Amino acid sequence: MPATSPNQPKYRRVVLKISGEALRNDQTGQTIDSDVLDRLADELKSLKEIGTQVAVVVGGGNIFRGLAGARSNGTDRTTGDNMGMLSTVINGLALMDRLEKSGLAVRVMTAIPMDRIAEPFIQRRATRHLEQGRILIFVAGTGNPYCTTDYAAALRANEIGADAILKATKVDGIYDKDPHKHKDAKRFTHITYQDALTQRLGVMDAEAFSLCEANKLPIIVFSMSDRGAVKKVIMGEAVGTFVG
Ligand code: UDP
């Protein structure tokens, strides 16, 4: 259950969703930006003192997306989705490496068995790792094609009893229209699931979103480039957009 005291973290256990896009550096063309990994390591290190348990779900869109592959070069959708899921493994290992180098205890759990590389996802083992203070990185999405890593984040968050999903993106929250195209776009600080749905704000894909709504799991959308944002969100400060 979320804590209530002002000096206590609002959330005891969270799933942090990082899209593959957030890992890419568009300027340098780096697929996995070293600076982003460093920043993530700093953010996660800063959580040690407050004790919030963190499981990270990484996307793979910086490397491959099944749907895009099917459209652009006719890759079979299931094959493409498998390639997409493997992309998340690459990202997850890069993140694991960086977090370990900064002194954090990390475990990678995969939805597709690959014994030599990562542990299989087992719910009770996952919660045990979190209780031991280890950061978890969930890779390979749900293990099923025709899904997204947003869905994996919603699924895992429910499975491990997380209090919230923190969705780190390139934009600092949810706007009523595209802030890159409209100067008068307004950012929501708080929005209900229902309003987000009816206004088609595209917080997550519909399946992931309804899994959160059905289980009353709040989603906080914020910018990856906002330093200290992860800790602020966890402490209950008004950062980004709260969906719930
Ligand atoms: N994917 C999948 N099943 C899953 C999760 C992901 O098939 O459970 C595939 C899908 O092709 C997706 C790709 O992996 O496009 C990368 O994931 P996603 O697009 O969610 O990454 P992000 O947008 O977060 O970078």
Side-chain angles (χ1 to χ4, degrees), residues 17 19-21 59-61 64-66 81 84-85 141-142 144-145 147-149:
K17 165 71 208 296
S19 71
E21 294 294 343
F64 200 85
R65 281 204 175 94
D81 281 341
M85 286 188 276
T142 62
N144 297 305
C147 277
T148 62
T149 50

Side-chain angles (χ1 to χ4, degrees), residues 78-237:
T78 302
T79 304
D81 281 341
N82 287 338
M83 292 163 73
M85 286 188 276
L86 293 177
S87 306
T88 74
V89 181
I90 295 172
N91 286 334
L93 292 180
L95 181 60
M96 175 197 76
D97 182 71
R98 196 58 61 99
L99 297 185
E100 281 182 341
K101 288 202 168 101
S102 64
L104 292 162
V106 189
R107 294 290 186 277
V108 179
M109 296 193 122
T110 173
I112 298 176
M114 43 184 96
D115 302 351
R116 305 275 299 271
I117 292 180
E119 295 180 22
F121 171 75
I122 297 169
Q123 184 238 9
R124 281 176 181 73
R125 194 182 282 178
T127 51
R128 177 87 183 129
H129 281 318
L130 292 170
E131 283 157 9
Q132 296 289 309
R134 296 170 189 133
I135 290 174
L136 278 183
I137 304 176
F138 292 138
V139 298
T142 62
N144 297 305
Y146 294 91
C147 277
T148 62
T149 50
D150 277 356
Y151 191 81
L155 183 65
R156 295 290 183 247
N158 282 304
E159 285 180 285
I160 65 168
D163 302 316
I165 294 182
L166 277 52
K167 187 169 153 71
T169 66
K170 287 196 159 177
V171 188
D172 65 345
I174 302 168
Y175 285 77
D176 57 351
K177 45 194 162 190
D178 187 346
H180 297 301
K181 291 185 190 147
H182 304 272
K183 275 195 177 151
D184 61 340
K186 278 206 293 279
R187 182 169 62 83
F188 297 99
T189 52
H190 186 291
I191 188 160
T192 62
Y193 298 110
Q194 212 45 51
D195 286 347
L197 267 181
T198 48
Q199 294 181 47
R200 296 174 179 273
L201 297 175
V203 182
M204 285 179 166
D205 61 89
E207 293 83 2
F209 194 79
S210 55
L211 194 54
C212 293
E213 184 186 18
N215 293 285
K216 304 268 173 294
L217 188 68
I219 308 160
I220 299 98
V221 180
F222 64 100
S223 168
M224 247 323 286
S225 52
D226 180 1
R227 275 173 202 273
V230 177
K231 189 172 176 184
K232 284 186 203 158
V233 171
I234 287 173
M235 294 308 291
E237 290 180 38

